[in-house]
Amino acid sequence: MLNALEVFTTVVLGVMVGVEFSVAFVMNPIFSGLPDDANQQARSHGGRMLGAVMPVWYIGSLVLIAMWAVAGWHHDGAGLVVVAGALLLVSVVMSLLLLVPINNQGKTWTAENRPADWKEQMSRWDRYHYARVAVIVAAFAVLVAALV
């Protein structure tokens, strides 16, 4: 049963990391190459769509890691699982304090109501997101290390 939890947790977190990596290094650069209206519309739509899914994914991943840490407490790698969980918790706090406030504004913008500094706000969101991606990649790497 522990092995199944380990694999499931690793896959769930790994796919989440892949999505966030793709947003940072594929999707947003594509959007930035579009004309302003299309760029802003794509980011707003992405903010609405992923803003609804990612909180469940982050918290679900954190719960799975906590379950793994408890279930595997007396097994090798338990300390690494706790470190991975701590890193993921840092990413959740970063999200709540830094990214979500910007996303909550951006997802309501249209060409008619977006602020004059919308590009600067998106650039700030991108910088915070790069940092968050680094943290969750580290969490994933530590979690994988716990498997070996």
Side-chain angles (χ1 to χ4, degrees):
M1 183 68 169
L2 180 59
N3 286 340
L5 177 61
E6 292 169 345
V7 169
F8 184 71
T9 302
T10 304
V11 169
V12 168
L13 183 61
V15 173
M16 184 185 83
V17 168
V19 168
E20 292 288 37
F21 186 90
S22 176
V23 167
F25 297 104
V26 178
M27 300 310 299
N28 283 348
I30 289 171
F31 298 159
S32 292
L34 297 173
D36 284 353
D37 287 350
N39 176 0
Q40 180 267 305
Q41 287 174 348
R43 283 179 171 264
S44 292
H45 181 64
R48 285 187 301 273
M49 189 181 89
L50 292 174
V53 173
M54 296 315 284
V56 175
W57 211 340
Y58 272 82
I59 299 304
S61 295
L62 197 52
V63 168
L64 287 169
I65 289 173
M67 290 170 53
W68 177 353
V70 170
W73 188 249
H74 297 292
H75 293 85
D76 291 339
L80 292 173
V81 175
V82 171
V83 170
L87 287 167
L88 191 57
L89 184 59
V90 166
S91 76
V92 169
V93 171
M94 289 173 68
S95 298
L96 293 172
L97 296 178
L98 302 173
L99 290 117
V100 168
I102 298 169
N103 189 63
N104 283 345
Q105 291 176 355
K107 68 184 182 181
T108 65
W109 294 339
T110 65
E112 293 79 31
N113 73 357
R114 68 183 178 226
D117 70 340
W118 73 274
K119 284 185 180 180
E120 289 81 13
Q121 291 187 51
M122 291 296 95
S123 179
R124 190 171 70 245
W125 187 94
D126 287 343
R127 288 190 308 274
Y128 293 151
H129 185 64
Y130 295 141
R132 178 175 60 183
V133 168
V135 171
I136 64 174
V137 166
F140 180 67
V142 171
L143 196 66
V144 169
L147 291 170
V148 294

